[in-house]
Amino acid sequence: MIAVSVKPLFIAIFTLSLFLAILFLSPSSPFSPPSSSLPSTIQTGKLEIWDVNRLVEWRPCKWWIHGARTALPAESNGYIRVDCYGGLNQMRRDFCDGVGIARLLNATLVLPKFEAAAYWNESRCLSSALVDTLFRKTSPFQCHLSPLLTAILLATKIIKSHPKTIPKIGFADVFDVDYFIQQMDGFIKVVKELPTEVALKEPFRVDCSKRKGQFDYIESVLPSLLKYQYISITPAMSQRRDRYPQYAKAALCQACYGSLRLARTLEQKAAQLLEAIPKPFLSLHLRFEPDMVAYSQCDYSGLSPASIEVIEAARGDRKPWTGELAHVWRKRGKCPLTPNETAFILQALSIPRNTNIYLAAGDGLVEIEGLKSTYTNVVTKSALLSGEDFLNMHGNTKAALDYYVSINSDSYVATFFGNMDKMVAAMRACKGLHNTLFLSRRAYAELTSEGLDGKELMQGLWMAHKEEFSMGRGYALPDCFCDFKL
């Protein structure tokens, strides 16, 4: 991996500027809600959420784990490379889909192409929308800019002034290739290298990612595979798995949940991180970055001036909803939970305030004091790991650390239901770890819209999440997992 030489300098500047911004711009208690809405101690009188009796568990289906394998055909229809883009867990999801497609089409699988989106190459506070907005509007030397934005602009100019190479993270940089090939034996044929006569040509590109509606690969992709013998595909978001024979579904499940483990050096770093976390601990995947908030088109009151400034800069042309539309949008659960709201829900679920919490999150979280002011034992990978190699880590390798810690944590809580959360929930189910919960943005929005606060709001949140946890809802995994009544 090629590291950006100026990245440690940028991180230092950004960290210092963030501290100054909070110190000089934030009110004395910018994250503290009214005392009526957040009691100093929990008075719900309920058990901790993990003590609730589960009625249903999701486990790997027997037909996949113990079922007889269908023999691979003697002849292959050609070679397929899966092209994966975005963040680590998005690429992993697409690759798993691609394995199922390759088996469906009786193809030989080539190791995938991983190409991280530019979004993952720098801190989320420096997303292209934010940087472009800032550079369009003003110079970093204008006196009305906050120290935070000034430092971001200065650091960005430093980075832009130095020639750099975007880090390239391949499949082998993240996952153990030999282990993958070994575990997929009997499910699908995998090759590290193409035959010479095939390797000399580029694959015929078949982009399915933007196809609308249900998409049938046999009808639409198989003819190209038979014609060109070597194709690359990006799987469609919505595909017809109802036509998949069981052997294709089994290949997908085995690839995703039984064959991908981290590359040795990365797994060693992840194990070092896991060892450093105080035990027992809860892994919390918290999503409240400026671009995340901007993308949601939600508006928030009570944020610090520093947070408002970076969020507004990230919005660009994507303005927040207003009026009745904003109310409906929030009640549908479309607005990310703030760290303060997250802390409130954790208290409603009787999660003790002295719980050790590992913060599984990317760079650039805002309003984090809303969590830390209530839960004081919060640790991060940047605080537990040190050294130049960590500072120069690509965003996707950092995401791999969060993934590893989260699938091995005593409990896992997420404020969102994204690609990482789905993958973590699945792997925890494979390992028999069922203390997994996704906080309900919808329940919080509906209850607060009814005017509930304090103990009444806590009681409502408890009931909503108790039902989710006992029934295993929120992380149903229908493709490879089955529900087992307890």
Side-chain angles (χ1 to χ4, degrees):
M1 179 178 67
I2 302 174
V4 179
S5 61
V6 297
K7 195 167 184 180
L9 178 60
F10 165 73
I11 292 173
I13 294 174
F14 178 79
T15 303
L16 178 61
S17 63
L18 182 60
F19 171 77
L20 292 173
I22 293 174
L23 182 65
F24 292 112
L25 292 179
S26 301
S28 57
S29 300
F31 306 104
S32 302
S35 58
S36 61
S37 65
L38 187 57
S40 58
T41 58
I42 279 215
Q43 300 293 334
T44 60
K46 302 293 182 183
L47 297 172
E48 189 175 351
I49 189 65
W50 313 125
D51 295 325
V52 171
N53 289 328
R54 294 188 307 277
L55 303 178
V56 174
E57 283 184 354
W58 287 84
R59 303 174 189 168
C61 296
K62 292 181 179 179
W63 63 261
W64 157 45
I65 297 293
H66 303 296
R69 299 181 192 175
T70 301
L72 295 174
E75 296 293 329
S76 167
N77 286 331
Y79 297 88
I80 287 182
R81 186 187 74 192
V82 186
D83 291 352
C84 308
Y85 303 91
L88 174 64
N89 292 288
Q90 178 181 339
M91 292 193 291
R92 178 172 178 166
R93 178 203 67 195
D94 288 347
F95 177 56
C96 295
D97 286 341
V99 173
I101 296 164
R103 183 66 181 93
L104 175 70
L105 303 182
N106 184 28
T108 299
L109 187 70
V110 181
L111 293 181
K113 174 186 177 183
F114 272 22
E115 188 165 316
Y119 171 84
W120 293 94
N121 289 328
E122 301 294 345
S123 165
R124 286 177 178 167
C125 287
L126 278 176
S127 63
S128 58
L130 173 58
V131 174
D132 291 344
T133 300
L134 295 176
F135 271 99
R136 280 200 308 270
K137 287 185 176 180
T138 185
S139 161
F141 301 103
Q142 291 180 331
C143 60
H144 67 273
L145 279 181
S146 72
L148 176 60
L149 293 185
T150 300
I152 288 177
L153 290 170
L154 286 172
T156 305
K157 282 197 168 184
I158 291 171
I159 291 175
K160 284 177 176 287
S161 67
H162 286 71
K164 66 177 184 178
T165 302
I166 297 297
K168 296 295 184 181
I169 300 296
F171 180 78
D173 294 308
V174 180
F175 296 112
D176 186 328
V177 172
D178 292 331
Y179 181 79
F180 174 76
I181 295 175
Q182 175 188 353
Q183 294 300 111
M184 291 306 297
D185 184 39
F187 288 92
I188 190 172
K189 185 177 180 181
V190 186
V191 295
K192 285 185 179 180
E193 298 180 355
L194 290 164
T196 304
E197 65 275 13
V198 178
L200 292 175
K201 61 182 180 180
E202 284 295 311
F204 179 76
R205 176 85 175 124
V206 182
D207 187 0
C208 315
S209 62
K210 297 180 181 179
R211 300 294 180 97
K212 301 281 186 182
Q214 295 294 327
F215 185 64
D216 192 300
Y217 287 97
I218 294 178
E219 295 174 1
S220 303
V221 178
L222 183 57
S224 295
L225 177 64
L226 294 173
K227 179 179 179 180
Y228 296 100
Q229 288 295 292
Y230 179 31
I231 66 172
S232 66
I233 63 170
T234 300
M237 287 296 292
S238 57
Q239 53 187 328
R240 296 194 60 172
R241 291 199 185 102
D242 60 309
R243 292 193 180 185
Y244 278 26
Q246 198 166 79
Y247 59 78
K249 292 181 181 179
L252 183 156
C253 297
Q254 177 67 10
C256 220
Y257 308 117
S259 300
L260 291 177
R261 74 179 184 190
L262 298 183
R264 180 168 299 180
T265 55
L266 188 55
E267 187 172 57
Q268 288 174 347
K269 180 65 71 174
Q272 177 187 347
L273 174 59
L274 180 63
E275 180 67 24
I277 300 172
K279 311 294 189 303
F281 75 99
L282 178 154
S283 179
L284 175 64
H285 189 209
L286 179 60
R287 297 297 310 273
F288 202 71
E289 305 89 354
D291 50 4
M292 176 79 170
V293 178
Y295 184 80
S296 73
Q297 294 186 267
C298 297
D299 200 13
Y300 294 84
S301 60
L303 303 184
S304 69
S307 297
I308 293 172
E309 197 161 12
V310 292
I311 290 170
E312 288 304 313
R315 287 194 191 278
D317 297 329
R318 189 184 292 271
K319 300 303 179 184
W321 301 114
T322 58
E324 182 62 22
L325 188 56
H327 182 68
V328 172
W329 190 249
R330 185 172 291 276
K331 285 191 68 175
R332 289 178 61 192
K334 299 296 185 179
C335 296
L337 292 169
T338 68
N340 188 58
E341 292 167 345
T342 300
F344 186 89
I345 298 175
L346 292 179
Q347 287 190 93
L349 303 181
S350 297
I351 304 296
R353 287 189 174 193
N354 63 351
T355 299
N356 296 313
I357 295 179
Y358 171 79
L359 192 59
D363 301 326
L365 279 177
V366 294
E367 300 288 295
I368 191 60
E369 285 304 316
L371 173 70
K372 290 183 176 181
S373 61
T374 302
Y375 288 89
T376 55
N377 296 333
V378 177
V379 296
T380 62
K381 53 185 171 292
S382 59
L384 296 173
L385 294 178
S386 60
E388 193 72 12
D389 59 336
F390 174 73
L391 292 176
N392 288 327
M393 269 189 179
H394 188 278
N396 277 327
T397 52
K398 291 181 180 179
L401 299 182
D402 286 339
Y403 162 79
Y404 182 90
V405 168
S406 295
I407 66 172
N408 289 291
S409 61
D410 298 282
S411 51
Y412 178 76
V413 173
T415 64
F416 197 68
F417 193 48
N419 292 315
M420 172 175 166
D421 308 302
K422 295 172 185 177
M423 197 63 63
V424 167
M427 292 306 300
R428 289 178 62 82
C430 285
K431 293 164 68 73
L433 301 174
H434 297 285
N435 283 1
T436 302
L437 188 65
F438 298 94
L439 302 187
S440 176
R441 293 165 291 165
R442 183 191 291 267
Y444 185 86
E446 289 179 346
L447 292 170
T448 53
S449 70
E450 296 171 6
L452 299 183
D453 64 4
K455 293 181 181 179
E456 289 184 337
L457 177 57
M458 282 190 166
Q459 182 67 19
L461 290 168
W462 167 265
M463 294 304 296
H465 288 86
K466 175 186 176 184
E467 183 180 7
E468 291 284 323
F469 182 69
S470 65
M471 297 302 298
R473 295 175 187 159
Y475 52 100
L477 305 159
D479 289 325
C480 307
F481 293 77
C482 299
D483 57 327
F484 288 79
K485 293 183 179 180
L486 302 178

